[in-house]
Amino acid sequence: MTSLMKPLIGDFPGSMMRVTHAMTRVVAALAGIALGASLAVVSATPALADEHDGWCGGGEMCVFEHENRVGGRHDYYNADSSYVDDRLYYLWGSGPVISGSGVNDMASSLVNNETRCDAILWEDINSGGGALIVPYDDTGGSGFRVNDLRPWGMNDIFSSSGWLNCV
Amino acid sequence: MNTAPVDEKSPLSVYVDTAEQRRNMTAARAALVSSCMRRLGFTDFKTVESKEAGPELITSRRYLYIEPARAARNGYAVEPDPTSRNRPTEEQVRAVPMEERRALTGGGVTLSSGVKAPEGGCTREAGQILSSKAPRANRLLVWQLMAKAAASARKDAEVMRAATDWSACMKQGGYAYATPEEAWNDSRWGRQPVAAVSEEERKVATADMECKDRSGYAVRLSEAQIANEKQLLEQHADELKALARNREALLRNTEILLQGGRP
């Protein structure tokens, strides 16, 4: 995917929603109170999408709950030194809906949608533990994808991420 | 007290670019992208590479270890990486005209100026030049193998014994953590920049590192990692040779480009 205007990956139907990170946490807390796996619909504003909104767009690194980029998801534009408070979004109705399930230690596949920086993910918060560098896609394709983290003992381990080698 | 330093490096570390190598490669790539964009008529296009080298990617943090003096100053927090400091904000990215985006990463289209952008855009063109004559290799392999080695290292009997000693040491200091991972990943830290780290985080991080020194946890973990990596190195010798040849070509091309030549 080459456009920087939120190219949508795969199966995201319908209109876009804009959710700030602060809103993410509030809604996540409410969802968490209800039930870990329950879903809470956030208010949708028809605007350009942001990071932490469940839309995996251009310039973002997205993590997915299951292999082959399905299940819950979360999108990062900026570095994040701790996934502990971040929540997974699920496709529901016309778009992604935040859940009470955490992102931390939950990623089984991912995509680097940035076209000018490599993504780096770490096993622990604050750049601790093992790491994985995911290069950017310099082929004009649809992002550099890692479809299955399981064979390498990297399943359900990532807790923070950032960018490096930007051009 | 076990004061042996943690061995940050390991057999697979030699396949990871140093900070200096990454800075040079990024500079060469940025110059190619910039030159391509100018050729297509985008004379104001700016690349965002850092003149500074970023942090090394292989550090003692892989063993959840920081020098105690640093932990006393910064807690567990990390300084931001300068190599991504100039990255545009999402708002700035959205403001980039579609023509410029196509030229940079889309390509294969004729721009309004009548010039045809290369297939895949200038980003792809730069990547192709930088990797000229570089044999194909799995760019993720070294990280995958390191992760595999680390997963086994954590189950090593010596490492597990040292982790138990570490936990007992922390308890003496008034901190109840079952494992080093629990202390490092405590939900109270992780969001604060270095300047805003709490006194409590600094105290815990210092006790954590001192207990790692006393128990030998990080040293045992690095020894187990090194032993496991040696085995994996033998098992994946052919793939790693291909990776080494790929890196050699990229570094050679980087050198040529930075001297004004063309690989």
Side-chain angles (χ1 to χ4, degrees):
Chain A
M1 198 69 71
T2 54
S3 167
L4 296 176
M5 287 287 287
K6 283 279 170 184
L8 302 180
I9 286 193
D11 43 2
F12 278 10
S15 62
M16 290 184 176
M17 287 195 290
R18 179 188 172 91
V19 185
T20 66
H21 201 188
M23 283 172 67
T24 297
R25 296 222 175 102
V26 171
V27 176
L30 292 170
I33 290 166
L35 261 182
S38 70
L39 301 173
V41 178
V42 293
S43 62
T45 305
L48 287 172
D50 248 328
E51 70 168 337
H52 307 297
D53 65 1
W55 294 108
C56 186
E60 293 181 337
M61 193 282 298
C62 305
V63 295
F64 297 83
E65 183 183 12
H66 303 305
E67 59 272 26
N68 297 314
R69 292 165 290 113
V70 297
R73 60 204 58 203
H74 199 97
D75 53 312
Y76 295 91
Y77 185 84
N78 291 300
D80 195 327
S81 57
S82 173
Y83 288 176
V84 170
D85 293 336
D86 301 336
R87 300 287 170 242
L88 289 171
Y89 286 81
Y90 290 87
L91 300 183
W92 190 262
S94 62
V97 176
I98 198 166
S99 75
S101 302
V103 175
N104 194 38
D105 295 338
M106 287 289 276
S108 297
S109 58
L110 55 94
V111 60
N112 178 8
N113 258 348
E114 172 59 282
T115 51
R116 296 171 71 168
C117 306
D118 296 332
I120 180 165
L121 294 98
W122 289 278
E123 186 174 0
D124 297 284
I125 69 171
N126 278 321
S127 313
L132 173 66
I133 308 285
V134 185
Y136 60 86
D137 181 3
D138 63 2
T139 67
S142 49
F144 195 107
R145 299 168 176 185
V146 182
N147 283 330
D148 192 355
L149 290 161
R150 293 174 305 170
W152 304 97
M154 290 176 154
N155 188 42
D156 296 342
I157 67 165
F158 290 120
S159 297
S160 56
S161 59
W163 301 101
L164 68 168
N165 309 333
C166 296
V167 295
Chain B
M1 181 182 287
N2 186 334
T3 54
V6 176
D7 190 354
E8 296 174 5
K9 301 291 181 190
S10 58
L12 289 171
S13 301
V14 298
Y15 296 91
V16 175
D17 294 326
T18 65
E20 186 72 15
Q21 287 169 335
R22 288 190 292 118
R23 179 180 62 178
N24 290 344
M25 211 177 289
T26 303
R29 191 186 293 270
L32 288 168
V33 170
S34 190
S35 155
C36 171
M37 290 296 278
R38 279 200 306 275
R39 189 181 81 230
L40 298 180
F42 299 94
T43 50
D44 293 334
F45 178 81
K46 297 269 188 299
T47 52
V48 297
E49 76 278 14
S50 169
K51 301 250 183 300
E52 299 169 55
E56 295 295 344
L57 298 180
I58 303 294
T59 72
S60 63
R61 280 181 179 265
R62 68 196 299 216
Y63 305 121
L64 304 185
Y65 185 80
I66 314 163
E67 287 296 323
R70 179 180 288 268
R73 278 196 313 275
N74 299 342
Y76 295 97
V78 199
E79 298 283 353
D81 181 350
T83 66
S84 62
R85 189 183 293 152
N86 301 325
R87 187 170 174 250
T89 63
E90 281 192 289
E91 287 72 25
Q92 289 169 326
V93 168
R94 286 190 202 112
V96 174
M98 185 57 79
E99 280 261 297
E100 187 174 316
R101 291 178 200 163
R102 284 186 179 141
L104 185 62
T105 59
V109 292
T110 302
L111 304 172
S112 56
S113 59
V115 180
K116 188 165 186 207
E119 193 70 44
C122 287
T123 308
R124 185 183 186 195
E125 181 183 284
Q128 285 173 332
I129 295 169
L130 191 59
S131 58
S132 296
K133 297 170 199 151
R136 293 179 74 86
N138 177 358
R139 296 158 81 185
L140 268 50
L141 180 68
V142 68
W143 303 103
Q144 293 164 330
L145 294 179
M146 281 183 183
K148 205 169 185 179
S152 304
R154 277 192 291 272
K155 293 176 192 155
D156 178 271
E158 289 286 313
V159 171
M160 289 174 75
R161 197 171 301 126
T164 304
D165 292 347
W166 171 89
S167 183
C169 171
M170 288 294 277
K171 199 166 185 182
Q172 281 174 5
Y175 304 111
Y177 292 106
T179 65
E181 287 82 6
E182 260 187 32
W184 187 283
N185 292 301
D186 190 317
S187 60
R188 290 176 295 169
W189 12 101
R191 290 273 179 205
Q192 301 86 354
V194 168
V197 164
S198 68
E199 182 61 25
E200 178 68 1
E201 180 177 336
R202 283 197 289 268
K203 279 184 186 168
V204 173
T206 307
D208 180 355
M209 301 313 143
E210 287 174 353
C211 284
K212 278 174 182 151
D213 280 346
R214 290 197 185 110
S215 64
Y217 172 78
V219 174
R220 297 289 94 75
L221 189 58
S222 71
E223 288 169 351
Q225 175 81 20
I226 289 166
N228 292 344
E229 285 190 15
K230 279 179 183 163
Q231 284 183 0
L232 289 168
L233 208 90
E234 288 172 18
Q235 290 165 16
H236 295 267
D238 290 342
E239 294 155 273
L240 287 165
K241 272 181 199 157
L243 180 61
R245 284 196 294 271
N246 174 275
R247 288 187 64 240
E248 278 166 21
L250 287 174
L251 293 170
R252 192 169 52 244
N253 290 345
T254 295
E255 194 67 31
I256 293 167
L257 285 161
L258 291 180
Q259 286 172 4
R262 193 83 164 182

